[in-house]
Amino acid sequence: MLNKYARAFFTRVLTPFAAFLIRRGVSPDTVTLIGTAGVVAGALVFYPRGEFFWGTVVITLFVFSDLVDGNMARQLGRSSRWGAFLDSTLDRVADGAIFGGFALWYAGSGDDNVLCAVSIFCLASGQVVSYTKARGESIGLPVAVNGLVERAERLVISLVAAGFAGLHKFGVPGIQYLLPVALWIVAAGSLVTLIQRVVTVRRESEEAEAAAAPQGTRGSEAAK
């Protein structure tokens, strides 16, 4: 849902900034690399220390690079397989850093092994959810399913909750519980999304194999 609506909105908003970078001679790949480095730094420097508000601020400043680089590539007419590969690969790095930062906090000063495990599950399931779609498409299947919690939803839920949870250090009471709730929601949603994609790939593969079967074989099966 967020991929469909929010991405279109922010693409329009960020188009002038993308055009500005192009005029300055900045390449889309450079934006991708800088954006990922900023997200990783924000997640692994601030989150393990419990600085969720400032970590989220830093990450948010850089996370929009995922939209800017693609916008720049389209304006330049340079959309390529390499750019898509680099962008997708570094997205996985950024996601791993964010949930890894949460896990480090709960394994250390946060002192909660259960939430540490939930954070690790969010990290791993997010990677596997992305892999199932990529692998399905690589074997020629459309993987035509909109999962319950895809990458955009995982990031928005986690970062918004982390940002608000960080306000606890500014004296806002009780708000620190938002992050644990968000992590459980992301974990459950990622599991549902993974199941949705696996079921879809199974169905599509069976349909593709049935369509590719020789006519005589299909006729004999129908006779049975």
Side-chain angles (χ1 to χ4, degrees), residues 47-194:
Y47 283 175
R49 298 187 296 167
E51 297 288 347
F52 295 120
F53 177 79
W54 293 115
T56 301
V57 169
V58 171
I59 290 170
T60 302
L61 291 175
F62 287 99
V63 79
F64 284 106
S65 65
D66 189 45
L67 299 177
V68 174
D69 56 6
N71 193 307
M72 292 172 66
R74 285 189 294 273
Q75 291 189 44
L76 291 168
R78 294 183 188 170
S79 296
S80 65
R81 291 182 177 87
W82 162 250
F85 169 81
L86 180 66
D87 190 53
S88 180
T89 300
L90 293 183
D91 282 349
R92 307 288 83 75
V93 173
D95 293 358
I98 291 171
F99 290 104
F102 293 145
L104 288 171
W105 162 250
Y106 287 117
S109 300
D111 193 23
D112 193 318
N113 289 336
V114 172
L115 287 175
C116 176
V118 172
S119 299
I120 293 172
F121 179 83
C122 290
L123 190 163
S125 61
Q127 307 294 325
V128 176
V129 164
S130 297
Y131 174 80
T132 53
K133 185 173 181 65
R135 182 58 178 149
E137 291 174 343
S138 74
I139 58 176
L141 300 175
V143 196
V145 59
N146 292 320
L148 178 65
V149 176
E150 297 183 331
R151 182 173 187 260
E153 286 82 7
R154 289 197 303 272
L155 287 180
V156 169
I157 293 171
S158 302
L159 293 178
V160 169
F164 278 111
L167 295 176
H168 178 69
K169 288 199 170 185
F170 295 89
V172 180
I175 203 165
Q176 71 273 20
Y177 298 111
L178 280 178
L179 181 55
V181 171
L183 290 174
W184 279 107
I185 291 173
V186 170
S190 296
L191 179 59
V192 171
T193 304
L194 177 59

Side-chain angles (χ1 to χ4, degrees), residues 203-219:
R203 174 178 53 79
E204 291 177 348
S205 65
E206 290 175 346
E207 291 173 352
E209 289 169 3
Q215 183 65 39
T217 302
R218 292 201 297 271

